[in-house]
Amino acid sequence: MPDWKLHTPNGVNDVLPEECAVKKEIENTIWTVFASFGYKEVETPSFEYYDCYSGESGQITQEKLYKFFDERGRILALRPDFTTSIARMAATKEQNHVLPVRYMYTGSVFRAEHTEGVRRREITQSGIELIGSYDAQADAEVIAAAMEAVNALGIEEFSMEIGQVAFFNGLVEQLKLDADTTEKLRSRIDSKDSQGIKNIVNNFDIDENIKQIMIDLPYLFGDAEVFLRADVPGLNETSNAALENLKRIYDLLCLYGFEKYISIDLGMLQSIDYYTGSIFKCYTHGVGFPIAAGGRYDNLMGMFGSPMGAVGCAIGVNRIMQVYKRSTNDIPSTLVFAQEGAEGLAYDMAYNLRVNGCLTEMYIGGGSFEDAEKYASETDNTCVLRVYPDGRLVIYDYERNDTVETTVNEFLGYSGAEPPEATPQDMGFRRF
């Protein structure tokens, strides 16, 4: 029998220091970009009542929820996405807020993936939600902020694919399809099964233009020419309005300067029950899944209160980590070694270095100075301060291959009223 306490469950993992540093750097970069657009950070609970995610309010199927009971027997669920929780929060806690409101978040979501392989079940997402606007400017802003964040992370080659589920909904209205047939048709379009689409639509007596545009839907992707190909005679008001909306979003994104990254895809229909308008996914080389995704979900707010326009986007931090290249190396640290009886002086030294913004580590290995030097060579400590009980100080700068002898008082500027001639930074100590 395996000793389960030594292992992590399938789909979750530990994040060790080096990888964690990369993860935090990604999160901080995304946070900075989103904040620059005026988004304010919020936090929602890691678990909610099951009712929050049940029925039509969530985009995650119930089979993928981690469910458990509270002390009163009520069903709870770990958060499978942030959008539903933020919609609940905005509808119940922010009714009197001036609209629109802009929220951003970073945290884990939990999904019980039942597929084979190494699919993650705990996923870190950084995202934004813009609530209180039905205008295409809101969609364009969210998409632009996501692309700005991807650019800021140093990912220069990526594609943002944009679709509009309402265009498909309008075609379905004209075909007068029931829910089961609609789902079959959606599945055929997702798999680009032209013959399967023909077999469904040929059973209906409708305009040939509408039949043909439905058959062509999986291949209506590319640049702005897609709008011309999709604008056929006979489209109903729903499809026409959806096409005009997508054109408007595209034009606004071109004004943002992102034209070269944008691809139109009218055959993008995933999560059609959740989204009501624009949908988008961002791809880059080396990652088999979207690194960012989102869309408009105008119906969700009404599940918790008054109906309200809303659009959001989530960036997959774990997926970004697969292709992210750090812009800078780790900041080296200084190691302080105290000879016996010099602990007080060493602690004082370390404290002063830290308040000056230097990464400073105390040697607590219990060994000799040679042991401390070995420890420093195996870590990021490129400088060792050797403190003696009489106040002497020897600085070993291995990066500069230099040794300096001084005193603690002189180094810290305690010897008189005049400030020291050199600050710790001047002597090579790194700020963080």
Side-chain angles (χ1 to χ4, degrees), residues 105-256:
Y105 60 83
T106 295
S108 293
V109 297
F110 307 88
R111 299 174 187 174
E113 298 284 355
H114 298 295
T115 57
E116 296 294 329
V118 291
R119 294 290 295 274
R120 285 182 176 270
R121 296 184 174 185
E122 181 180 8
I123 306 159
T124 301
Q125 292 183 340
S126 290
I128 52 177
E129 310 292 341
L130 198 164
I131 298 173
S133 173
Y134 293 94
D135 197 281
Q137 291 183 83
D139 304 65
E141 178 182 302
V142 169
I143 298 170
M147 288 195 285
E148 195 80 58
V150 171
N151 255 333
L153 290 165
I155 301 174
E156 298 177 352
E157 295 186 14
F158 65 90
S159 172
M160 179 65 79
E161 299 182 2
I162 307 173
Q164 234 292 0
V165 297
F167 184 80
F168 173 77
N169 290 341
L171 298 178
V172 168
E173 288 174 11
Q174 292 186 258
L175 290 170
K176 297 186 169 88
L177 302 182
D178 58 38
D180 289 341
T181 307
T182 299
E183 179 54 31
K184 289 178 183 177
L185 186 58
R186 186 203 65 78
S187 177
R188 300 292 188 276
I189 293 171
D190 274 350
S191 59
K192 300 190 184 299
D193 179 6
S194 297
Q195 187 58 51
I197 299 170
K198 288 180 183 178
N199 292 341
I200 294 175
V201 300
N202 282 339
N203 293 324
F204 297 89
D205 184 20
I206 59 169
D207 189 291
E208 288 299 319
N209 285 330
I210 304 305
K211 282 187 180 181
Q212 192 59 49
I213 201 68
M214 187 69 88
I215 294 169
D216 292 341
L217 201 55
Y219 308 100
L220 286 175
F221 62 86
D223 57 21
E225 185 186 356
V226 171
F227 297 122
L228 298 175
R229 292 163 55 198
D231 191 11
V232 300
L235 291 177
N236 67 4
E237 184 178 344
T238 300
S239 292
N240 270 319
L243 204 57
E244 286 302 317
N245 173 262
L246 192 57
K247 285 181 185 177
R248 173 65 174 152
I249 294 171
Y250 174 80
D251 289 342
L252 289 169
L253 289 171
C254 290
L255 294 177
Y256 273 103

Side-chain angles (χ1 to χ4, degrees), residues 19 24-25 52 57 70 121 125 134 139 166 196 227 251 259-260 278 304 351 354 366 376 418:
E19 189 178 20
K24 292 301 180 185
E25 191 170 296
C52 182
S57 63
D70 68 5
R121 296 184 174 185
Q125 292 183 340
Y134 293 94
D139 304 65
F227 297 122
D251 289 342
E259 181 177 1
K260 69 176 182 178
S278 66
F304 303 99
Y351 170 79
R354 290 174 187 136
E418 294 298 320

Side-chain angles (χ1 to χ4, degrees), residues 133-136 138-139 274-279 294-298 309-312:
S133 173
Y134 293 94
D135 197 281
D139 304 65
Y274 181 76
Y275 292 114
T276 59
S278 66
I279 52 175
R296 176 166 285 278
Y297 51 94
D298 292 341
V311 58

Side-chain angles (χ1 to χ4, degrees), residues 17-64:
E18 186 172 325
E19 189 178 20
C20 196
V22 172
K23 187 168 183 281
K24 292 301 180 185
E25 191 170 296
I26 292 171
E27 292 172 0
N28 290 340
T29 299
I30 296 172
W31 188 97
T32 300
V33 172
F34 288 163
S36 73
F37 275 76
Y39 288 82
K40 305 294 191 299
E41 189 167 23
V42 295
E43 293 183 2
T44 62
S46 297
F47 57 88
E48 304 244 17
Y49 287 114
Y50 170 80
D51 306 59
C52 182
Y53 304 115
S54 63
E56 299 178 358
S57 63
Q59 67 167 319
I60 309 300
T61 60
Q62 304 308 304
E63 293 77 17
K64 292 185 178 181

